Amino acid sequence: MANTSAVYARIDTNLKDSAEDILSKLGISPSSAIQMLYSQIVLTKGIPFDLRLPSAKPLAVGAMTREQLDAELQKGVDSIKAGKVYSADEVDATLAKEFGI
C-alpha cells in the first residue's frame, strides 16, 4: 500500500460543492485534484497559478461622464505627444493579459 497522509481543510460549503460538481463531470475525485495541485506545487516550486489582485475592469465609454471621457482622451493625446504609441497587436495583447478581453 502507498505511503499516504490525510489533508484536512475547512472551506466554504458552496465552494466545495461547486468544485466537486465540476470535478465529478471531469471524472476526477477531490483527492486526485488535491494530489494534482500538490504535484504542481512541487514541480513549479510554488503556487502553479498567478496570485495577484485583479485589475480593475475598463469602464465602458457609455458609462463615463463627459469629464471622465475628456480626461481619458486627454491621456491619449498626451501619450501620443510624448511618443508613446502602440500597434493594434500590442494593445490587443495588453487587454487580453490584463483584462481577459
Side-chain angles (χ1 to χ4, degrees):
M1 181 175 226
N3 185 16
T4 62
S5 294
V7 175
Y8 298 97
R10 297 195 60 78
I11 62 171
D12 177 80
T13 301
N14 292 331
L15 176 61
K16 176 188 172 288
D17 292 343
S18 296
E20 288 182 2
D21 182 52
I22 293 168
L23 290 171
S24 175
K25 290 175 184 172
L26 293 170
I28 300 170
S29 70
S31 292
S32 292
I34 293 169
Q35 181 79 28
M36 289 179 205
L37 173 63
Y38 275 42
S39 294
Q40 286 299 304
I41 290 169
V42 171
L43 286 171
T44 62
K45 296 185 179 9
I47 301 294
F49 45 83
D50 285 340
L51 293 176
R52 58 188 169 118
L53 295 174
S55 301
K57 293 288 182 191
L59 188 60
V61 172
M64 290 181 169
T65 66
R66 178 64 186 205
E67 292 76 23
Q68 288 173 315
L69 180 58
D70 287 344
E72 290 302 312
L73 291 171
Q74 189 60 52
K75 285 181 192 177
V77 170
D78 294 343
S79 180
I80 291 169
K81 286 181 182 176
K84 296 179 184 175
V85 293
Y86 306 94
S87 71
D89 289 338
E90 290 171 314
V91 172
D92 285 345
T94 300
L95 288 173
K97 180 180 177 187
E98 291 186 25
F99 303 110
I101 56 175

Coordinates of all heavy atoms in Angstrom, one line a residue:
M1 N 0.8 -1.2 0.0 CA 0.0 0.0 0.0 C 0.9 1.2 0.0 O 1.9 1.3 0.6 CB -0.9 0.0 1.2 CG -1.8 1.2 1.3 SD -3.0 1.0 2.7 CE -4.5 1.4 1.8
A2 N 0.4 2.3 -0.7 CA 1.2 3.5 -0.8 C 1.3 4.2 0.5 O 0.4 4.1 1.4 CB 0.6 4.4 -1.8
N3 N 2.4 4.9 0.7 CA 2.5 5.7 1.9 C 1.8 7.0 1.7 O 2.1 7.9 0.9 CB 4.0 6.0 2.2 CG 4.3 6.7 3.5 OD1 3.4 6.8 4.3 ND2 5.4 7.3 3.6
T4 N 0.6 7.2 2.4 CA -0.2 8.4 2.3 C -0.5 9.1 3.6 O -0.3 8.5 4.6 CB -1.6 8.0 1.6 OG1 -2.3 7.1 2.5 CG2 -1.4 7.3 0.3
S5 N -0.8 10.3 3.5 CA -1.2 11.1 4.6 C -2.5 11.8 4.3 O -2.8 12.1 3.2 CB -0.1 12.2 4.9 OG 1.1 11.6 5.3
A6 N -3.2 12.1 5.4 CA -4.5 12.8 5.2 C -4.3 14.3 5.3 O -3.4 14.8 6.0 CB -5.5 12.4 6.3
V7 N -5.0 15.1 4.5 CA -5.0 16.5 4.5 C -6.4 17.0 4.9 O -7.4 16.6 4.2 CB -4.6 17.1 3.1 CG1 -4.7 18.6 3.1 CG2 -3.2 16.6 2.7
Y8 N -6.5 17.8 5.9 CA -7.8 18.3 6.3 C -7.8 19.8 6.1 O -6.9 20.5 6.4 CB -8.0 18.0 7.8 CG -8.1 16.6 8.1 CD1 -7.0 15.9 8.5 CD2 -9.2 15.8 7.9 CE1 -7.0 14.5 8.8 CE2 -9.3 14.5 8.1 CZ -8.1 13.8 8.6 OH -8.2 12.5 8.8
A9 N -8.9 20.3 5.5 CA -9.1 21.8 5.3 C -10.5 22.1 5.5 O -11.4 21.4 5.1 CB -8.6 22.1 3.9
R10 N -10.8 23.3 6.0 CA -12.1 23.8 6.2 C -12.3 24.8 5.1 O -11.6 25.8 5.0 CB -12.4 24.4 7.5 CG -12.2 23.3 8.6 CD -12.8 23.8 10.0 NE -14.2 24.1 10.0 CZ -15.2 23.2 10.0 NH1 -14.9 21.9 10.0 NH2 -16.4 23.6 10.0
I11 N -13.3 24.6 4.2 CA -13.6 25.6 3.2 C -15.1 25.8 3.1 O -15.9 25.0 3.6 CB -13.1 25.1 1.8 CG1 -13.8 23.8 1.3 CG2 -11.6 24.9 1.8 CD1 -13.5 23.4 -0.1
D12 N -15.5 26.9 2.5 CA -16.9 27.2 2.3 C -17.7 26.1 1.6 O -17.2 25.5 0.6 CB -17.0 28.5 1.4 CG -18.4 28.9 1.1 OD1 -19.0 29.5 2.0 OD2 -18.9 28.6 0.0
T13 N -18.8 25.8 2.2 CA -19.6 24.6 1.7 C -20.0 24.8 0.2 O -19.9 23.9 -0.6 CB -20.9 24.4 2.5 OG1 -20.5 24.2 3.9 CG2 -21.7 23.3 2.0
N14 N -20.5 26.0 -0.2 CA -20.9 26.2 -1.5 C -19.7 26.1 -2.5 O -19.8 25.5 -3.6 CB -21.5 27.6 -1.7 CG -22.8 27.7 -1.0 OD1 -23.6 26.7 -0.9 ND2 -23.2 28.9 -0.6
L15 N -18.5 26.6 -2.1 CA -17.3 26.5 -2.9 C -17.0 25.0 -3.1 O -16.7 24.5 -4.2 CB -16.1 27.2 -2.3 CG -14.8 27.1 -3.0 CD1 -14.8 27.6 -4.4 CD2 -13.7 27.8 -2.2
K16 N -17.0 24.3 -2.0 CA -16.7 22.8 -2.1 C -17.7 22.1 -3.0 O -17.2 21.3 -3.9 CB -16.8 22.2 -0.7 CG -16.6 20.7 -0.6 CD -16.9 20.2 0.8 CE -16.9 18.7 0.9 NZ -18.0 18.1 0.2
D17 N -18.9 22.3 -2.8 CA -19.9 21.7 -3.7 C -19.8 22.0 -5.1 O -19.9 21.1 -6.0 CB -21.4 22.0 -3.2 CG -21.7 21.4 -1.8 OD1 -21.0 20.5 -1.4 OD2 -22.6 21.9 -1.2
S18 N -19.5 23.3 -5.4 CA -19.4 23.7 -6.8 C -18.1 23.1 -7.5 O -18.2 22.6 -8.6 CB -19.3 25.2 -6.9 OG -20.4 25.9 -6.5
A19 N -17.0 23.1 -6.7 CA -15.8 22.5 -7.2 C -16.0 21.0 -7.4 O -15.5 20.4 -8.4 CB -14.6 22.8 -6.3
E20 N -16.6 20.3 -6.5 CA -16.7 18.9 -6.6 C -17.7 18.5 -7.7 O -17.5 17.5 -8.3 CB -17.2 18.3 -5.2 CG -16.0 18.3 -4.2 CD -16.4 17.6 -2.9 OE1 -17.5 17.2 -2.7 OE2 -15.5 17.6 -2.0
D21 N -18.7 19.4 -8.0 CA -19.5 19.1 -9.1 C -18.8 19.2 -10.4 O -18.9 18.3 -11.3 CB -20.7 20.2 -9.2 CG -21.7 19.9 -10.3 OD1 -22.2 18.8 -10.4 OD2 -21.9 20.9 -11.0
I22 N -17.9 20.1 -10.6 CA -17.1 20.3 -11.8 C -16.1 19.1 -11.9 O -15.9 18.5 -12.9 CB -16.3 21.6 -11.8 CG1 -17.3 22.7 -12.0 CG2 -15.2 21.6 -12.9 CD1 -16.7 24.1 -11.7
L23 N -15.4 18.8 -10.7 CA -14.5 17.6 -10.7 C -15.2 16.3 -11.1 O -14.7 15.5 -11.9 CB -13.9 17.5 -9.3 CG -12.9 18.6 -8.9 CD1 -12.5 18.4 -7.5 CD2 -11.7 18.5 -9.8
S24 N -16.4 16.1 -10.6 CA -17.2 14.9 -11.0 C -17.4 14.8 -12.5 O -17.3 13.8 -13.1 CB -18.5 14.9 -10.2 OG -19.3 13.9 -10.6
K25 N -17.8 16.0 -13.1 CA -18.0 16.0 -14.5 C -16.7 15.7 -15.3 O -16.8 15.2 -16.4 CB -18.6 17.3 -14.9 CG -20.0 17.5 -14.5 CD -20.5 18.9 -14.8 CE -21.9 19.1 -14.2 NZ -22.4 20.5 -14.3
L26 N -15.6 16.0 -14.7 CA -14.3 15.7 -15.3 C -13.8 14.3 -15.0 O -12.8 13.9 -15.5 CB -13.3 16.8 -14.8 CG -13.5 18.2 -15.3 CD1 -12.5 19.1 -14.5 CD2 -13.3 18.3 -16.8
G27 N -14.5 13.6 -14.1 CA -14.1 12.3 -13.7 C -12.9 12.3 -12.8 O -12.2 11.3 -12.8
I28 N -12.8 13.3 -12.0 CA -11.7 13.5 -11.1 C -12.2 13.5 -9.7 O -13.1 14.3 -9.4 CB -10.8 14.7 -11.4 CG1 -10.3 14.7 -12.8 CG2 -9.7 14.9 -10.4 CD1 -9.7 16.0 -13.3
S29 N -11.6 12.7 -8.8 CA -12.1 12.8 -7.4 C -11.4 14.0 -6.7 O -10.4 14.5 -7.1 CB -11.6 11.5 -6.6 OG -10.2 11.5 -6.5
P30 N -12.0 14.5 -5.6 CA -11.4 15.6 -4.9 C -10.0 15.2 -4.4 O -9.1 16.1 -4.5 CB -12.3 15.8 -3.7 CG -13.6 15.4 -4.2 CD -13.3 14.2 -5.1
S31 N -9.7 14.0 -4.0 CA -8.4 13.6 -3.6 C -7.4 13.6 -4.7 O -6.3 14.1 -4.5 CB -8.4 12.1 -3.0 OG -9.2 12.1 -1.8
S32 N -7.8 13.2 -5.9 CA -7.0 13.3 -7.1 C -6.6 14.7 -7.4 O -5.5 15.1 -7.8 CB -7.6 12.6 -8.3 OG -7.7 11.2 -8.0
A33 N -7.6 15.6 -7.3 CA -7.4 17.0 -7.6 C -6.4 17.6 -6.6 O -5.5 18.4 -7.1 CB -8.7 17.8 -7.6
I34 N -6.5 17.3 -5.4 CA -5.6 17.8 -4.4 C -4.2 17.2 -4.7 O -3.2 17.9 -4.6 CB -6.0 17.5 -2.9 CG1 -7.3 18.3 -2.6 CG2 -4.9 17.8 -1.9 CD1 -8.0 17.9 -1.4
Q35 N -4.1 15.9 -5.0 CA -2.8 15.3 -5.4 C -2.2 16.1 -6.6 O -1.0 16.3 -6.6 CB -3.1 13.8 -5.7 CG -1.8 13.1 -6.1 CD -1.0 12.6 -4.9 OE1 -1.5 12.4 -3.8 NE2 0.3 12.5 -5.1
M36 N -3.0 16.4 -7.6 CA -2.5 17.1 -8.7 C -2.0 18.5 -8.3 O -0.9 18.9 -8.8 CB -3.6 17.3 -9.8 CG -4.0 16.1 -10.5 SD -5.4 16.5 -11.7 CE -6.2 15.0 -11.8
L37 N -2.7 19.2 -7.5 CA -2.3 20.5 -7.0 C -1.0 20.4 -6.3 O 0.0 21.2 -6.6 CB -3.3 21.2 -6.1 CG -2.9 22.5 -5.4 CD1 -2.7 23.6 -6.4 CD2 -3.9 22.9 -4.4
Y38 N -0.8 19.5 -5.4 CA 0.4 19.3 -4.6 C 1.6 18.9 -5.6 O 2.7 19.4 -5.4 CB 0.3 18.3 -3.5 CG -0.3 18.8 -2.2 CD1 -1.4 19.7 -2.2 CD2 0.2 18.4 -1.0 CE1 -1.9 20.2 -1.0 CE2 -0.3 18.8 0.2 CZ -1.3 19.7 0.2 OH -1.8 20.2 1.4
S39 N 1.3 18.1 -6.6 CA 2.3 17.7 -7.5 C 2.8 18.9 -8.3 O 4.0 19.1 -8.5 CB 1.8 16.7 -8.5 OG 1.5 15.5 -7.8
Q40 N 1.9 19.8 -8.7 CA 2.3 21.0 -9.4 C 3.0 22.0 -8.5 O 4.0 22.7 -9.0 CB 1.0 21.7 -10.0 CG 0.5 21.0 -11.2 CD 1.5 20.9 -12.4 OE1 2.0 21.9 -12.8 NE2 1.7 19.7 -12.8
I41 N 2.7 22.1 -7.3 CA 3.4 22.9 -6.3 C 4.9 22.4 -6.3 O 5.8 23.2 -6.3 CB 2.8 22.9 -4.9 CG1 1.4 23.7 -5.0 CG2 3.7 23.5 -3.9 CD1 0.6 23.5 -3.8
V42 N 5.1 21.1 -6.2 CA 6.4 20.6 -6.1 C 7.2 20.8 -7.4 O 8.3 21.3 -7.4 CB 6.4 19.1 -5.8 CG1 7.8 18.4 -5.9 CG2 5.9 18.9 -4.4
L43 N 6.5 20.6 -8.6 CA 7.2 20.7 -9.9 C 7.5 22.2 -10.2 O 8.6 22.4 -10.7 CB 6.2 20.2 -11.0 CG 6.1 18.7 -11.1 CD1 5.0 18.4 -12.1 CD2 7.4 18.1 -11.6
T44 N 6.7 23.1 -9.8 CA 6.9 24.5 -10.1 C 7.6 25.2 -9.0 O 8.0 26.4 -9.1 CB 5.6 25.3 -10.4 OG1 4.8 25.2 -9.3 CG2 4.9 24.7 -11.6
K45 N 7.8 24.5 -7.8 CA 8.4 25.1 -6.6 C 7.6 26.4 -6.2 O 8.2 27.4 -5.8 CB 9.9 25.4 -6.8 CG 10.7 24.1 -7.1 CD 12.1 24.4 -7.2 CE 13.0 23.3 -7.4 NZ 12.5 22.0 -7.7
G46 N 6.3 26.3 -6.3 CA 5.5 27.4 -5.9 C 4.0 27.2 -6.3 O 3.7 26.1 -6.7
I47 N 3.2 28.1 -6.1 CA 1.8 28.0 -6.4 C 1.7 28.0 -8.0 O 2.3 28.9 -8.6 CB 1.0 29.2 -5.9 CG1 1.1 29.2 -4.3 CG2 -0.5 29.1 -6.3 CD1 0.4 28.0 -3.6
P48 N 1.0 27.0 -8.6 CA 1.0 26.9 -10.0 C 0.1 27.8 -10.8 O -0.4 27.5 -11.9 CB 0.6 25.4 -10.2 CG -0.2 25.1 -9.1 CD 0.3 25.9 -7.9
F49 N -0.2 29.0 -10.2 CA -1.0 30.0 -10.9 C -0.7 31.3 -10.3 O -0.1 31.4 -9.2 CB -2.6 29.7 -10.8 CG -3.0 29.3 -9.4 CD1 -3.3 30.3 -8.4 CD2 -3.1 28.0 -9.0 CE1 -3.7 29.9 -7.2 CE2 -3.6 27.6 -7.8 CZ -3.8 28.6 -6.8
D50 N -1.0 32.4 -11.0 CA -0.7 33.8 -10.6 C -1.6 34.1 -9.4 O -2.8 33.8 -9.3 CB -1.1 34.8 -11.7 CG 0.0 34.8 -12.8 OD1 1.1 34.3 -12.6 OD2 -0.3 35.3 -13.9
L51 N -0.9 34.7 -8.4 CA -1.6 35.3 -7.2 C -1.4 36.8 -7.3 O -0.3 37.3 -7.0 CB -1.0 34.7 -5.9 CG -1.3 33.2 -5.7 CD1 -0.6 32.8 -4.4 CD2 -2.8 32.9 -5.6
R52 N -2.5 37.5 -7.7 CA -2.4 38.9 -7.7 C -3.8 39.5 -7.6 O -4.7 38.8 -7.9 CB -1.7 39.4 -9.0 CG -2.3 38.9 -10.3 CD -1.5 39.3 -11.5 NE -2.0 38.7 -12.6 CZ -2.4 39.3 -13.7 NH1 -2.4 40.6 -13.7 NH2 -2.9 38.6 -14.7
L53 N -3.8 40.7 -7.2 CA -5.1 41.4 -7.1 C -5.6 41.6 -8.5 O -4.9 41.9 -9.5 CB -5.0 42.7 -6.4 CG -4.5 42.7 -5.0 CD1 -4.3 44.1 -4.4 CD2 -5.6 42.0 -4.1
P54 N -6.9 41.4 -8.7 CA -7.5 41.6 -10.1 C -7.4 43.0 -10.5 O -7.5 44.0 -9.7 CB -8.9 41.2 -9.9 CG -9.2 41.3 -8.5 CD -7.9 41.1 -7.8
S55 N -7.1 43.2 -11.8 CA -7.1 44.6 -12.4 C -8.5 45.1 -12.4 O -9.5 44.3 -12.6 CB -6.5 44.5 -13.8 OG -5.3 44.0 -13.8
A56 N -8.7 46.4 -12.3 CA -10.0 47.0 -12.5 C -10.4 46.8 -13.9 O -9.6 47.0 -14.8 CB -9.9 48.5 -12.1
K57 N -11.6 46.5 -14.1 CA -12.1 46.3 -15.5 C -12.2 47.7 -16.1 O -12.6 48.7 -15.4 CB -13.5 45.7 -15.5 CG -13.5 44.3 -15.0 CD -12.9 43.4 -16.1 CE -12.9 41.9 -15.6 NZ -12.1 41.1 -16.5
P58 N -11.9 47.8 -17.4 CA -12.0 49.1 -18.1 C -13.5 49.6 -18.1 O -14.4 48.8 -18.2 CB -11.5 48.9 -19.5 CG -11.6 47.4 -19.7 CD -11.5 46.8 -18.3
L59 N -13.7 50.8 -17.9 CA -15.0 51.4 -17.9 C -15.5 51.6 -19.3 O -14.8 52.1 -20.2 CB -15.0 52.8 -17.1 CG -16.3 53.5 -16.8 CD1 -17.2 52.6 -15.9 CD2 -16.0 54.8 -16.1
A60 N -16.7 51.2 -19.6 CA -17.3 51.3 -20.9 C -17.5 52.8 -21.2 O -17.9 53.6 -20.3 CB -18.6 50.6 -21.0
V61 N -17.3 53.2 -22.4 CA -17.4 54.7 -22.8 C -18.8 55.2 -22.5 O -18.9 56.3 -21.9 CB -17.1 54.9 -24.3 CG1 -17.4 56.3 -24.7 CG2 -15.6 54.5 -24.6
G62 N -19.8 54.4 -22.7 CA -21.2 54.8 -22.4 C -21.5 55.1 -21.0 O -22.4 55.8 -20.6
A63 N -20.6 54.5 -20.1 CA -20.9 54.6 -18.7 C -20.1 55.8 -18.1 O -20.2 56.1 -16.9 CB -20.5 53.3 -17.9
M64 N -19.2 56.4 -18.9 CA -18.4 57.5 -18.4 C -19.2 58.8 -18.4 O -20.0 59.1 -19.3 CB -17.2 57.7 -19.3 CG -16.2 56.6 -19.2 SD -14.8 57.0 -20.4 CE -13.6 55.8 -19.9
T65 N -18.8 59.7 -17.5 CA -19.3 61.1 -17.6 C -18.5 61.8 -18.6 O -17.5 61.3 -19.1 CB -19.1 61.8 -16.2 OG1 -17.7 62.0 -16.0 CG2 -19.8 61.0 -15.1
R66 N -19.0 63.0 -19.0 CA -18.3 63.8 -20.0 C -16.9 64.1 -19.5 O -15.9 64.0 -20.3 CB -19.1 65.0 -20.3 CG -18.4 66.0 -21.3 CD -18.3 65.3 -22.7 NE -17.6 66.2 -23.6 CZ -17.7 66.1 -24.9 NH1 -18.6 65.2 -25.4 NH2 -17.0 66.9 -25.6
E67 N -16.8 64.4 -18.2 CA -15.5 64.7 -17.7 C -14.5 63.5 -17.7 O -13.3 63.7 -18.0 CB -15.6 65.3 -16.2 CG -16.3 66.6 -16.1 CD -17.8 66.5 -16.3 OE1 -18.5 65.4 -16.1 OE2 -18.4 67.6 -16.7
Q68 N -15.0 62.4 -17.4 CA -14.2 61.2 -17.4 C -13.7 60.9 -18.8 O -12.5 60.5 -19.0 CB -14.9 59.9 -16.9 CG -15.2 60.0 -15.4 CD -16.1 58.8 -14.9 OE1 -17.1 58.6 -15.5 NE2 -15.7 58.2 -13.8
L69 N -14.6 61.0 -19.8 CA -14.2 60.7 -21.2 C -13.2 61.7 -21.6 O -12.2 61.4 -22.2 CB -15.5 60.8 -22.1 CG -15.2 60.6 -23.6 CD1 -14.6 59.2 -23.8 CD2 -16.6 60.7 -24.3
D70 N -13.4 63.0 -21.3 CA -12.4 64.0 -21.7 C -11.1 63.8 -21.1 O -10.0 63.9 -21.7 CB -12.9 65.4 -21.3 CG -14.1 66.0 -22.1 OD1 -14.3 65.4 -23.2 OD2 -14.7 66.9 -21.7
A71 N -11.0 63.3 -19.8 CA -9.8 63.0 -19.1 C -9.1 61.9 -19.8 O -7.9 61.9 -20.0 CB -10.0 62.7 -17.7
E72 N -9.8 60.8 -20.2 CA -9.2 59.7 -20.8 C -8.7 60.0 -22.2 O -7.6 59.6 -22.6 CB -10.2 58.5 -20.9 CG -10.5 57.9 -19.6 CD -9.3 57.3 -18.9 OE1 -8.5 56.6 -19.5 OE2 -9.1 57.6 -17.7
L73 N -9.4 60.8 -23.0 CA -9.0 61.3 -24.3 C -7.7 62.1 -24.1 O -6.8 62.0 -25.0 CB -10.1 62.0 -25.0 CG -11.3 61.2 -25.5 CD1 -12.4 62.1 -26.0 CD2 -10.9 60.2 -26.5
Q74 N -7.7 63.0 -23.1 CA -6.5 63.8 -22.9 C -5.3 63.0 -22.6 O -4.2 63.3 -23.0 CB -6.8 64.8 -21.8 CG -5.7 65.9 -21.7 CD -5.5 66.7 -23.0 OE1 -6.4 67.2 -23.5 NE2 -4.2 66.7 -23.5
K75 N -5.5 61.9 -21.8 CA -4.4 61.0 -21.5 C -3.8 60.4 -22.8 O -2.6 60.3 -23.0 CB -4.8 59.8 -20.7 CG -5.0 60.2 -19.2 CD -5.5 58.9 -18.5 CE -6.0 59.1 -17.1 NZ -6.5 57.9 -16.5
G76 N -4.7 60.1 -23.8 CA -4.3 59.5 -25.1 C -3.5 60.6 -25.9 O -2.4 60.3 -26.4
V77 N -4.0 61.8 -25.9 CA -3.3 62.9 -26.6 C -1.9 63.1 -26.0 O -0.9 63.2 -26.7 CB -4.2 64.2 -26.6 CG1 -3.4 65.3 -27.2 CG2 -5.4 63.9 -27.4
D78 N -1.9 63.2 -24.7 CA -0.6 63.4 -24.0 C 0.4 62.3 -24.3 O 1.6 62.5 -24.5 CB -0.8 63.6 -22.5 CG -1.6 64.8 -22.1 OD1 -1.7 65.7 -23.0 OD2 -2.1 64.9 -21.0
S79 N -0.1 61.0 -24.3 CA 0.7 59.9 -24.6 C 1.3 60.0 -26.0 O 2.5 59.7 -26.2 CB -0.1 58.6 -24.4 OG 0.7 57.5 -24.7
I80 N 0.5 60.3 -27.0 CA 1.0 60.4 -28.4 C 2.0 61.5 -28.5 O 3.1 61.4 -29.1 CB -0.2 60.7 -29.3 CG1 -1.1 59.4 -29.4 CG2 0.3 61.1 -30.7 CD1 -2.4 59.7 -30.1
K81 N 1.8 62.7 -27.8 CA 2.7 63.8 -27.8 C 4.1 63.4 -27.2 O 5.1 63.9 -27.6 CB 2.1 65.0 -27.1 CG 1.1 65.7 -27.9 CD 0.6 66.9 -27.1 CE -0.5 67.6 -27.9 NZ -1.1 68.7 -27.1
A82 N 4.0 62.5 -26.2 CA 5.2 62.0 -25.6 C 5.9 60.9 -26.3 O 6.9 60.4 -25.9 CB 4.9 61.5 -24.1
G83 N 5.3 60.5 -27.5 CA 6.0 59.5 -28.3 C 5.6 58.1 -27.9 O 6.2 57.1 -28.4
K84 N 4.7 57.9 -27.0 CA 4.2 56.6 -26.6 C 3.1 56.1 -27.5 O 2.0 56.5 -27.3 CB 3.8 56.6 -25.2 CG 4.8 57.0 -24.1 CD 4.2 57.0 -22.7 CE 5.3 57.4 -21.7 NZ 4.7 57.5 -20.4
V85 N 3.5 55.3 -28.5 CA 2.5 54.8 -29.4 C 2.6 53.3 -29.5 O 3.7 52.7 -29.3 CB 2.7 55.4 -30.9 CG1 2.3 56.9 -30.9 CG2 4.1 55.2 -31.4
Y86 N 1.5 52.6 -29.7 CA 1.5 51.2 -29.7 C 0.7 50.6 -30.9 O -0.3 51.2 -31.3 CB 0.8 50.6 -28.4 CG 1.4 51.2 -27.1 CD1 0.9 52.4 -26.5 CD2 2.6 50.6 -26.6 CE1 1.5 52.9 -25.4 CE2 3.2 51.1 -25.4 CZ 2.6 52.3 -24.8 OH 3.2 52.8 -23.7
S87 N 1.1 49.5 -31.4 CA 0.4 48.9 -32.5 C -0.9 48.3 -32.0 O -1.0 48.0 -30.8 CB 1.3 47.8 -33.1 OG 1.4 46.7 -32.3
A88 N -1.8 48.0 -32.9 CA -3.0 47.3 -32.5 C -2.8 46.0 -31.9 O -3.5 45.6 -30.9 CB -3.9 47.2 -33.7
D89 N -1.8 45.2 -32.4 CA -1.5 43.9 -31.8 C -1.0 44.1 -30.3 O -1.3 43.3 -29.5 CB -0.4 43.2 -32.6 CG -1.0 42.7 -34.0 OD1 -2.2 42.6 -34.1 OD2 -0.1 42.5 -34.9
E90 N -0.2 45.1 -30.1 CA 0.3 45.3 -28.7 C -0.8 45.7 -27.8 O -0.9 45.2 -26.6 CB 1.4 46.5 -28.7 CG 2.7 46.1 -29.3 CD 3.6 47.3 -29.5 OE1 3.1 48.4 -30.0 OE2 4.8 47.1 -29.2
V91 N -1.8 46.5 -28.3 CA -2.9 46.9 -27.4 C -3.8 45.7 -27.2 O -4.2 45.4 -26.0 CB -3.7 48.0 -28.1 CG1 -5.1 48.2 -27.4 CG2 -2.9 49.3 -28.2
D92 N -4.0 44.8 -28.2 CA -4.8 43.6 -28.0 C -4.2 42.7 -27.0 O -4.9 42.1 -26.2 CB -5.0 42.9 -29.4 CG -6.0 43.6 -30.3 OD1 -6.8 44.4 -29.8 OD2 -6.0 43.2 -31.5
A93 N -2.9 42.5 -27.1 CA -2.2 41.6 -26.2 C -2.3 42.1 -24.8 O -2.5 41.4 -23.8 CB -0.7 41.5 -26.6
T94 N -2.1 43.4 -24.6 CA -2.2 44.0 -23.2 C -3.6 43.8 -22.6 O -3.8 43.5 -21.5 CB -1.8 45.5 -23.2 OG1 -0.5 45.6 -23.7 CG2 -1.9 46.1 -21.9
L95 N -4.6 44.1 -23.5 CA -6.0 44.0 -23.0 C -6.3 42.5 -22.6 O -7.0 42.2 -21.6 CB -7.0 44.5 -24.1 CG -7.1 46.0 -24.3 CD1 -7.9 46.3 -25.4 CD2 -7.6 46.7 -23.0
A96 N -5.8 41.6 -23.5 CA -6.0 40.2 -23.2 C -5.4 39.8 -21.9 O -5.9 39.0 -21.1 CB -5.5 39.3 -24.3
K97 N -4.1 40.2 -21.7 CA -3.4 39.8 -20.5 C -4.0 40.5 -19.2 O -4.2 39.8 -18.2 CB -1.9 40.3 -20.6 CG -1.0 39.9 -19.4 CD 0.4 40.4 -19.6 CE 1.2 40.1 -18.4 NZ 2.6 40.6 -18.5
E98 N -4.3 41.8 -19.3 CA -4.7 42.4 -18.1 C -6.2 42.2 -17.7 O -6.6 42.2 -16.6 CB -4.4 43.9 -18.2 CG -3.0 44.2 -18.1 CD -2.7 45.7 -18.1 OE1 -3.5 46.5 -17.6 OE2 -1.6 46.1 -18.4
F99 N -7.0 42.1 -18.8 CA -8.5 42.1 -18.6 C -9.2 40.9 -19.1 O -10.4 40.7 -19.0 CB -9.1 43.4 -19.2 CG -8.6 44.6 -18.7 CD1 -7.8 45.4 -19.5 CD2 -8.8 45.0 -17.4 CE1 -7.2 46.6 -19.0 CE2 -8.2 46.2 -16.9 CZ -7.5 47.0 -17.7
G100 N -8.4 40.0 -19.8 CA -9.1 38.8 -20.4 C -10.0 39.1 -21.5 O -11.0 38.3 -21.7
I101 N -9.8 40.2 -22.2 CA -10.7 40.6 -23.3 C -9.9 40.7 -24.6 O -8.8 40.8 -24.6 CB -11.5 41.9 -23.0 CG1 -10.5 43.1 -22.8 CG2 -12.4 41.7 -21.9 CD1 -11.2 44.4 -22.6

